[in-house]
Amino acid sequence: MKIIKLNATDSTNSFLKKLEKNMTLENFTVIVTDMQLKGKGQQDSVWLSEPYKNLTFSVLIYFSDLLLRNANFLNFAISAAIFDVLEKENIPNLKIKWPNDILSANQKICGVLLENNFKGVKIRSSVVGIGLNVNQTGFSKKLNKVSSLKLIANKEFNLDLLLHKLIKKIQENITLLNAKRFKLLENKYMNNLYKKNTATMFKDSNNVVFMGIIVGVSHSGKLQIELENGMIKEYGIKEIAFL
């Protein structure tokens, strides 16, 4: 891996995508910054991070034979990699919240943004952006249900060491992905999916509140929810929210 460290940048994902357009990069090139000014999250949200306290980085991954229809397994691989590293750091009550947030109990500690580049029916490359709350202890009052590793574990973490552990585990899981060990990656994700098989309140894109039970994730990456009438309905990321 090649790690490029920046003092500050608007977005590590944006920086890495621009860099890749202008020069040839090694597989698993990493951009990491101490200060991310305009970090991006899911659904055009902003990822806020206190400088020098957290991990904000992006990884470039090249593929030779990953079909677009199997993109969901890439998400499983990345989410499971982060989960495994944090589990080994003894972070308790870990869960993966669909599609790829990492929680401790019901507190968000990590977010992931996957931006894929396609060629025909295959994924040519992916820029994987990860924001992990590590040593930050104060958060905006506007952010509820957010925490950090330091608040949870009551100790300081070495950012460089943690970064290397995360990248190494991502590489291991991408090796499994390239070997088409899809079921192994899927099981790791599904076995730790937040609120799976639990009655939960949701709100759809029409602001309708309803009760449902998460039963899985479809091949296309949509959340599968069993409704009170027994019907299973699928929802995309902009179509549903947890309450």
Side-chain angles (χ1 to χ4, degrees):
M1 74 187 79
K2 182 177 182 180
I3 299 177
I4 301 171
K5 295 186 177 182
L6 306 174
N7 289 330
T9 188
D10 284 350
S11 159
T12 55
N13 263 34
S14 297
F15 187 96
L16 187 50
K17 287 191 294 182
K18 288 178 184 177
L19 195 65
E20 202 240 344
K21 280 185 179 180
N22 295 319
M23 62 186 296
T24 301
L25 297 177
E26 297 176 18
N27 200 9
F28 295 103
T29 293
V30 178
I31 300 293
V32 60
T33 186
D34 294 321
M35 190 182 308
Q36 186 163 245
L37 306 175
K38 297 179 182 177
K40 298 188 294 182
Q42 295 283 1
Q43 303 183 66
D44 300 321
S45 63
V46 176
W47 182 268
L48 300 174
S49 178
E50 186 177 340
Y52 310 103
K53 294 292 184 69
N54 305 311
L55 281 177
T56 48
F57 66 99
S58 297
V59 186
L60 175 65
I61 305 173
Y62 288 113
F63 300 98
S64 60
D65 192 32
L66 180 61
L67 294 173
L68 176 57
R69 61 183 174 87
N70 291 325
N72 203 31
F73 297 106
L74 170 58
N75 183 46
F76 294 165
I78 300 300
S79 301
I82 300 168
F83 182 98
D84 283 344
V85 170
L86 297 183
E87 188 175 50
K88 288 183 179 178
E89 295 294 326
N90 297 315
I91 304 302
N93 304 313
L94 287 170
K95 288 291 180 182
I96 301 169
K97 183 181 177 183
W98 176 86
N100 45 32
D101 285 344
I102 306 297
L103 311 181
S104 175
N106 65 340
Q107 304 290 304
K108 181 176 178 178
I109 54 177
C110 183
V112 178
L113 178 63
L114 295 170
E115 296 186 285
N116 297 324
N117 183 13
F118 310 109
K119 185 175 182 180
V121 297
K122 293 184 178 181
I123 298 176
R124 185 186 75 84
S125 64
S126 182
V127 173
V128 180
I130 297 173
L132 176 62
N133 295 331
V134 183
N135 293 321
Q136 184 170 339
T137 56
F139 294 92
S140 168
K141 293 180 180 179
K142 296 179 182 179
L143 299 174
N144 57 1
K145 296 184 178 180
V146 175
S147 192
S148 70
L149 304 189
K150 184 175 180 179
L151 285 173
I152 294 164
N154 196 31
K155 69 174 185 177
E156 194 93 3
F157 287 81
N158 183 302
L159 294 178
D160 287 336
L161 183 59
L162 193 56
L163 174 65
H164 280 81
K165 289 179 180 180
L166 287 164
I167 298 168
K168 182 179 179 182
K169 192 62 184 181
I170 287 171
Q171 289 177 314
E172 290 176 6
N173 278 12
I174 295 301
T175 298
L176 294 174
L177 181 66
N178 288 333
K180 296 181 170 53
R181 300 287 301 277
F182 298 146
K183 198 63 182 177
L184 180 63
L185 296 170
E186 182 179 19
N187 287 343
K188 183 67 179 182
Y189 181 95
M190 293 298 178
N191 289 342
N192 295 290
L193 186 60
Y194 178 67
K195 295 292 188 180
K196 188 169 184 280
N197 298 326
T198 302
T200 305
M201 296 296 294
F202 300 94
K203 181 171 68 174
D204 67 18
S205 54
N206 296 315
N207 289 321
V208 175
V209 176
F210 66 95
M211 179 78 76
I213 297 174
I214 295 173
V215 294
V217 176
S218 72
H219 199 82
S220 62
K222 292 187 174 183
L223 190 64
Q224 296 173 320
I225 298 177
E226 183 178 343
L227 306 179
E228 290 181 290
N229 62 6
M231 182 177 75
I232 295 177
K233 190 172 181 180
E234 297 183 358
Y235 295 87
I237 192 167
K238 295 184 179 181
E239 299 171 342
I240 195 169
F242 290 79
L243 292 180

